[in-house]
Amino acid sequence: MTAAVNRKGTFVLSDPEPTRESGMDKQNVMRLRINRIALVQELRVEHILNHLIDTQVLSEEDLKKIHAGSSHSDKARILVDLLPGKGQHIDWYRSFREALQNPEAAQDIKKRYRLLVDFLDNTVIHRPNSQQSKFSELPNPRKDSFKLPKYDPLPNIKANGQAQNVLILDDERKQDEKEDNSLREVDEKDEKISMWSGTFEKTNDSVTLVKGYFQQWIPTPDNFRSLLTVPQEHLHQLGRSSDPADREQLEHETRALERIKKLEIVTVLARRKMLPTGFELCMCDIVQEIFREPQYYHLYFKYLKSLEANDVNLLQDIVTSFYSVLKSNTKQARNSESVKHFTSLAFQLIDFMTEYGYYTDAEKVMSVLMQFLSESHHLDIWMTKYRGYVKLMHLRNRNYNFLSASQAYQYAVEMTWQIKMMSFGQNIINEGELQNELSHMLLELGSINPAYSWAQSALKAVQETDKVVVVNTLCNAVMAFCARWQVKKAEKLAIYATQFAHHHFGKRNPLYLKALLHLCHFSTEFKQDESGLQLAMYTLSTAKKIYCCDTIELAFAHRAASKALMVCQRFDTEKYYYHAYEGLRIARRILTEDHPMLYLFLHTSASALQWKAFHASKESQDRTLALAEGEARKALELVIQHYGEVSLRTAQVYSLLGQVYSKMDRLQVAEDMLQTSVALMKLCQPSTSYFRLLAAATLGTFYKITEKPKECIMILRVVVDSIDSPGVYMKWVHTCFENLIHTLQSLNINKQVDATQIQLSHWLRDNPRLETVVSMTTLHEAPCSLEVFMGEFNSWEKRTKKALNFVKEAKTGDNQQ
């Protein structure tokens, strides 16, 4: 078999001898041969052998041959030679490609292997019969000759009377294109046709209308093929659905697909230098259209990820273009209009990157913007600076970079002082968003009481016209009220947040998903019932429909489903472990290994592995617990690195490790871990903190199990005497009472038994179970206005103020008499 080179990256197979191989098999064999050198140099067989063995591509005899190689290159060479001989009955190429995509190796090696996959995929091999007609214009083609085909030159693109150079990128995929590259004449009438996009019009396969600072017809790039992966099944499901929300989403999905296709072509034109001088991608109308609709940002994420899988980063190209615009306009853009336009573009870009998860890159753009604004001291941009610092704090909070978030908060406060010192600046700043970000930061750092106070302030200050901020403020308030165990109020906030997000943004919006996730958190912490489990599964299905790709929000939805299954004791299947594993897998794919957010998924995974070991056979129990220990240890390293050795998060992970070691029968280590957790809680939490009491209750329960009654009584007595009445039944508090009573009975301390039983009966009377079931109908009801909700929500505060005013008026009347 021989291969004749027709053009770069394109080969023609010619095999005169009869063979049983299919055309596809021939192409796969040729792909290996063409990329043989790269495979032999880069491949380490130990990274992919297990997968090839599991798929029965390799036999024991094959392994012996491979391991007989004297070096890594020899082993790789033997493997590459063995694969084509497997025949048609084994899909060896598919297994080999999958093994390269998921090697058992470190992250940097995985990236290099993805390049190998790209090399294989980008080796496009045409069938001889198609090539014969394709290049029939070539005179006297010889079968084994290495002649390049003759192409007509690409048409010149003229701008300002000068031809533009065309850069053909070697790393882009090639495919057969129609040879007719001639531009059709476009009359004035055609140019004025109004398409629905209004930005980037394509009337045929050879020309494209690009609008930005200019409007011009540009030839479609030669040898261009879209690398976008279209989720056909997802779109078909939306089309078959009778749900109006699905039909509406399908319309938006269709429009988003058209726009991203056009953006891809414009990006290719920009990369190949086929656009006139002065064109900037970030200023193109198609980019502006995408940025102008933040409620649909999420629809583009799956396409951006599919392009990134092919090493094409459209978002990075836009950012690079933004920096170019900033550099070229640094000296000129100083009037109010230009600054306003530029900062608007920057804020939109930052918002898009933040939602996409590019927190670090978004922070870089924000830093560049703030430096740009700092060079101007006009009063009319003071509010822009304030907004910028609030956004900077928001994205740093989302990136769990709380130390830098506190710095952004200080900058925002300084700008607040400057503005309020002016006569016109007393009432133009609404600090609700800043107060909400401060509350969020303090809550994550374990300062529960200050976070709770700032959450209340944010609720009072936020304006209903800024609906995005309203949802964010409500969701943060849910977490703050849950941390303070204001259970009934937390439930009201969670329900209202979901209703508000559904009413203003619909069922297919990330803000609605965010509200659902916070409602799931409340339900898992306090209700722990069947309705909460159904809510978690609905939230997961909603996340899949919204994104249709791996995102951190989908990972949180899997985590919520896992936690709901565990608190409801659904261990008849391993779905609780599957969802914990999926959440961790997605998080690891998106986040770096040292990202602080990862500890949340490691914590849930370790908890799920504990339960899996408890219900597993004796043989696999130790192995499963060892995995749980490993996940918990990784979580501990992360929280110590990012939160410090003395912190709420660190104490919680020590408590988890203690539970794991107790199940491993390493009781002394378990006791040390649980004692460390309680000691850290005493250092960073007040005596009435529910987190501190829960850690102590866990240690007391451990002492009961390990038959240390004196220590158990001492700790559990403190817990039950310190518990305030939240007004709602708590299962773990009830368990503390029962464990204390049983331990006292075992020592025949009957007086304390009677007193504790009376104390338990009073607690059960004051804290009934939450019997109300929140249905989906309730969640989708039209909400009242925020002002009405807050009036009802703070009814006790209003009654208190009314009573105080009455007393004050009475005293004033007595003094006058």
Side-chain angles (χ1 to χ4, degrees):
M1 182 180 296
T2 60
V5 181
N6 281 304
R7 60 180 178 183
K8 187 172 184 179
T10 306
F11 295 80
V12 179
L13 292 173
S14 59
D15 191 346
E17 299 179 1
T19 178
R20 295 182 180 179
E21 290 182 331
S22 66
M24 184 60 68
D25 287 331
K26 290 180 181 181
Q27 293 191 33
N28 292 337
V29 171
M30 187 56 67
R31 285 190 175 95
L32 255 62
R33 291 185 181 180
I34 293 169
N35 297 285
R36 178 184 176 87
I37 295 176
L39 290 170
V40 170
Q41 289 178 347
E42 296 292 333
L43 186 59
R44 296 293 181 267
V45 296
E46 59 269 17
H47 294 157
I48 65 172
L49 281 182
N50 287 338
H51 182 80
L52 295 176
I53 294 171
D54 292 341
T55 55
Q56 299 181 348
V57 172
L58 296 179
S59 62
E60 291 295 330
E61 184 177 353
D62 295 329
L63 291 181
K64 292 179 182 179
K65 293 179 181 179
I66 293 171
H67 290 308
S70 59
S71 64
H72 292 301
S73 298
D74 285 338
K75 293 177 181 179
R77 188 179 297 107
I78 295 170
L79 173 61
V80 172
D81 290 339
L82 283 174
L83 290 175
K86 292 302 174 181
Q88 289 182 303
H89 63 285
I90 296 178
D91 195 355
W92 57 268
Y93 181 80
R94 179 180 178 183
S95 298
F96 178 67
R97 187 179 182 279
E98 290 174 350
L100 290 177
Q101 286 182 312
N102 300 285
E104 299 175 358
Q107 195 65 32
D108 57 334
I109 298 178
K110 289 182 179 180
K111 187 174 182 179
R112 289 161 55 189
Y113 279 22
R114 283 197 291 270
L115 291 176
L116 292 177
V117 175
D118 289 342
F119 287 160
L120 294 171
D121 291 347
N122 292 338
T123 305
V124 180
I125 305 167
H126 299 288
R127 295 187 301 274
N129 57 356
S130 66
Q131 291 292 327
Q132 183 177 359
S133 60
K134 178 77 174 177
F135 302 122
S136 58
E137 60 184 272
L138 292 176
N140 301 323
R142 292 175 54 192
K143 185 175 183 180
D144 298 327
S145 65
F146 289 81
K147 290 186 177 180
L148 295 174
K150 180 181 178 181
Y151 286 96
D152 293 331
L154 291 171
N156 292 329
I157 311 302
K158 294 185 178 181
N160 299 324
Q162 297 180 355
Q164 303 297 308
N165 295 329
V166 178
L167 175 62
I168 304 298
L169 301 182
D170 292 336
D171 60 348
E172 294 181 8
R173 291 187 177 181
K174 308 292 194 289
Q175 79 164 20
D176 290 340
E177 294 285 319
K178 296 181 180 179
E179 290 295 319
D180 182 17
N181 287 324
S182 60
L183 291 173
R184 299 181 182 178
E185 293 184 357
V186 183
D187 58 20
E188 184 178 353
K189 178 180 179 180
D190 293 331
E191 289 191 21
K192 294 182 179 179
I193 293 177
S194 176
M195 304 295 288
W196 61 265
S197 64
T199 299
F200 184 109
E201 301 171 27
K202 186 174 180 181
T203 59
N204 52 59
D205 292 336
S206 58
V207 291
T208 300
L209 178 61
V210 182
K211 299 179 183 178
Y213 281 140
F214 62 93
Q215 176 174 318
Q216 184 170 339
W217 288 96
I218 302 295
T220 302
D222 182 53
N223 296 330
F224 169 77
R225 185 179 75 177
S226 175
L227 300 178
L228 292 171
T229 301
V230 181
Q232 297 290 356
E233 183 59 31
H234 170 64
L235 298 179
H236 289 162
Q237 288 180 357
L238 293 177
R240 293 191 296 265
S241 174
S242 58
D243 189 342
D246 289 339
R247 293 300 182 92
E248 182 181 1
Q249 183 181 356
L250 180 60
E251 294 179 6
H252 298 310
E253 290 276 8
T254 304
R255 184 167 56 184
L257 178 57
E258 291 298 322
R259 286 179 176 175
I260 199 69
K261 283 181 178 180
K262 296 165 185 177
L263 178 58
E264 183 188 20
I265 297 179
V266 173
T267 305
V268 173
L269 289 167
R271 286 186 173 192
R272 297 187 178 188
K273 310 299 183 186
M274 297 175 67
L275 295 174
T277 302
F279 172 84
E280 288 296 346
L281 185 62
C282 68
M283 306 304 295
C284 180
D285 274 16
I286 188 63
V287 174
Q288 300 294 314
E289 283 189 6
I290 293 174
F291 283 172
R292 276 197 294 266
E293 297 180 336
Q295 67 272 30
Y296 303 127
Y297 283 173
H298 59 282
L299 299 178
Y300 302 96
F301 294 170
K302 51 183 170 291
Y303 302 116
L304 293 177
K305 289 180 181 293
S306 70
L307 291 173
E308 287 177 8
N310 292 284
D311 292 330
V312 177
N313 195 323
L314 292 188
L315 195 53
Q316 192 60 50
D317 285 354
I318 296 174
V319 173
T320 303
S321 174
F322 171 81
Y323 288 147
S324 177
V325 172
L326 175 63
K327 184 178 179 180
S328 62
N329 291 277
T330 299
K331 296 182 180 180
Q332 302 173 5
R334 283 294 176 265
N335 61 74
S336 59
E337 282 301 318
S338 61
V339 170
K340 182 179 179 181
H341 179 75
F342 184 78
T343 53
S344 175
L345 170 64
F347 283 154
Q348 290 171 345
L349 178 58
I350 290 166
D351 288 342
F352 191 98
M353 297 172 75
T354 303
E355 293 302 317
Y356 188 56
Y358 272 26
Y359 303 119
T360 303
D361 293 317
E363 185 174 340
K364 291 179 181 177
V365 174
M366 178 61 79
S367 299
V368 171
L369 173 63
M370 299 312 295
Q371 184 178 358
F372 171 79
L373 294 176
S374 64
E375 297 176 4
S376 176
H377 302 286
H378 294 299
L379 297 180
D380 55 357
I381 67 168
W382 283 14
M383 280 300 298
T384 304
K385 288 182 180 180
Y386 172 77
R387 287 180 54 211
Y389 287 129
V390 174
K391 280 184 177 291
L392 183 60
M393 185 179 183
H394 171 70
L395 68 90
R396 286 175 174 175
N397 274 339
R398 289 191 60 168
N399 199 29
Y400 282 61
N401 187 358
F402 300 115
L403 179 61
S404 297
S406 64
Q407 295 174 349
Y409 173 74
Q410 293 298 328
Y411 295 146
V413 170
E414 290 176 7
M415 286 305 307
T416 303
W417 292 341
Q418 290 185 30
I419 295 172
K420 286 187 174 181
M421 287 177 64
M422 307 301 294
S423 58
F424 60 84
Q426 298 299 316
N427 299 316
I428 65 174
I429 291 183
N430 182 277
E431 299 182 68
E433 187 175 4
L434 182 61
Q435 293 169 350
N436 180 62
E437 294 299 334
L438 178 60
S439 172
H440 176 81
M441 181 186 73
L442 293 172
L443 189 62
E444 285 294 332
L445 294 175
S447 300
I448 307 301
N449 292 335
Y452 173 74
S453 297
W454 283 113
Q456 289 179 308
S457 299
L459 284 172
K460 296 174 183 177
V462 69
Q463 296 178 349
E464 189 167 3
T465 53
D466 196 344
K467 296 178 175 54
V468 174
V469 178
V470 170
V471 175
N472 290 332
T473 304
L474 289 169
C475 288
N476 178 73
V478 172
M479 301 299 290
F481 278 74
C482 285
R484 272 290 297 264
W485 288 38
Q486 298 287 322
V487 182
K488 293 182 178 179
K489 286 193 172 185
E491 184 178 27
K492 289 181 180 179
L493 286 167
I495 293 174
Y496 183 74
T498 307
Q499 292 175 338
F500 189 93
H502 174 263
H503 180 73
H504 292 287
F505 299 99
K507 293 196 298 184
R508 299 292 181 262
N509 188 276
L511 287 172
Y512 174 69
L513 175 62
K514 181 176 184 177
L516 286 175
L517 286 170
H518 284 77
L519 182 57
C520 287
H521 171 79
F522 166 81
S523 180
T524 301
E525 291 293 317
F526 301 110
K527 298 189 72 172
Q528 302 179 352
D529 57 4
E530 184 67 24
S531 63
L533 176 57
Q534 294 176 0
L535 174 67
M537 292 305 172
Y538 170 75
T539 301
L540 178 58
S541 65
T542 300
K544 290 179 178 179
K545 280 190 175 182
I546 289 175
Y547 291 104
C548 194
C549 64
D550 287 347
T551 63
I552 200 65
E553 289 79 8
L554 179 59
F556 275 114
H558 276 291
R559 178 173 175 263
S562 176
K563 292 178 66 176
L565 287 164
M566 286 189 284
V567 298
C568 291
Q569 303 287 301
R570 291 298 186 86
F571 302 122
D572 50 332
T573 65
E574 291 189 356
K575 288 183 179 180
Y576 65 95
Y577 171 70
Y578 164 76
H579 290 298
Y581 172 81
E582 275 295 290
L584 180 58
R585 179 192 65 80
I586 295 172
R588 277 181 165 153
R589 182 178 178 182
I590 296 172
L591 306 173
T592 58
E593 286 296 325
D594 62 343
H595 198 284
M597 196 188 304
L598 196 61
Y599 98 89
L600 294 168
F601 302 95
L602 290 168
H603 192 289
T604 305
S605 178
S607 301
L609 285 167
Q610 278 191 90
W611 286 110
K612 185 179 179 182
F614 183 78
H615 295 89
S617 61
K618 188 67 177 177
E619 294 76 18
S620 61
Q621 197 171 64
D622 293 339
R623 184 171 64 253
T624 306
L625 286 172
L627 291 174
E629 179 194 6
E631 303 286 40
R633 281 288 180 185
K634 291 176 186 175
L636 181 61
E637 292 176 6
L638 287 176
V639 294
I640 290 177
Q641 177 184 352
H642 295 282
Y643 291 91
E645 294 187 1
V646 180
S647 67
L648 172 62
R649 303 305 182 199
T650 305
Q652 289 174 326
V653 178
Y654 270 117
S655 180
L656 172 65
L657 269 170
Q659 297 172 54
V660 173
Y661 284 126
S662 67
K663 293 180 175 62
M664 298 173 73
D665 291 331
R666 297 171 61 180
L667 300 182
Q668 185 57 52
V669 181
E671 183 177 356
D672 293 341
M673 293 292 173
L674 293 173
Q675 287 179 343
T676 302
S677 175
V678 173
L680 292 176
M681 286 290 185
K682 289 181 179 179
L683 291 174
C684 65
Q685 293 293 304
S687 58
T688 56
S689 167
Y690 286 97
F691 295 105
R692 175 173 169 176
L693 295 175
L694 181 58
T698 305
L699 178 59
T701 303
F702 171 79
Y703 283 138
K704 178 182 182 297
I705 295 173
T706 55
E707 298 180 351
K708 294 184 178 180
K710 292 183 179 179
E711 292 86 345
C712 173
I713 292 172
M714 180 179 64
I715 292 178
L716 292 184
R717 172 56 64 189
V718 173
V719 172
V720 299
D721 289 344
S722 302
I723 287 288
D724 291 332
S725 177
V728 177
Y729 174 82
M730 298 290 171
K731 184 177 180 180
W732 72 269
V733 177
H734 192 176
T735 303
C736 283
F737 274 109
E738 290 182 339
N739 288 338
L740 178 59
I741 292 170
H742 292 159
T743 306
L744 291 170
Q745 288 175 340
S746 66
L747 298 179
N748 295 320
I749 309 178
N750 296 324
K751 287 187 178 181
Q752 292 191 31
V753 169
D754 295 338
T756 306
Q757 286 179 335
I758 294 173
Q759 187 178 0
L760 172 60
S761 64
H762 291 166
W763 186 87
L764 291 174
R765 179 198 62 197
D766 297 335
N767 299 276
R769 292 180 180 270
L770 279 175
E771 299 295 343
T772 56
V773 176
V774 180
S775 64
M776 297 307 301
T777 304
T778 302
L779 294 179
H780 293 165
E781 290 178 354
C784 59
S785 66
L786 181 63
E787 182 180 1
V788 173
F789 171 77
M790 290 305 302
E792 296 175 353
F793 184 77
N794 294 321
S795 57
W796 180 85
E797 181 179 346
K798 291 180 67 176
R799 287 196 296 267
T800 303
K801 286 184 178 180
K802 188 175 181 180
L804 291 174
N805 289 334
F806 177 78
V807 173
K808 185 177 180 180
E809 291 174 0
K811 287 184 177 180
T812 303
D814 293 340
N815 293 334
Q816 291 177 352
Q817 291 178 359

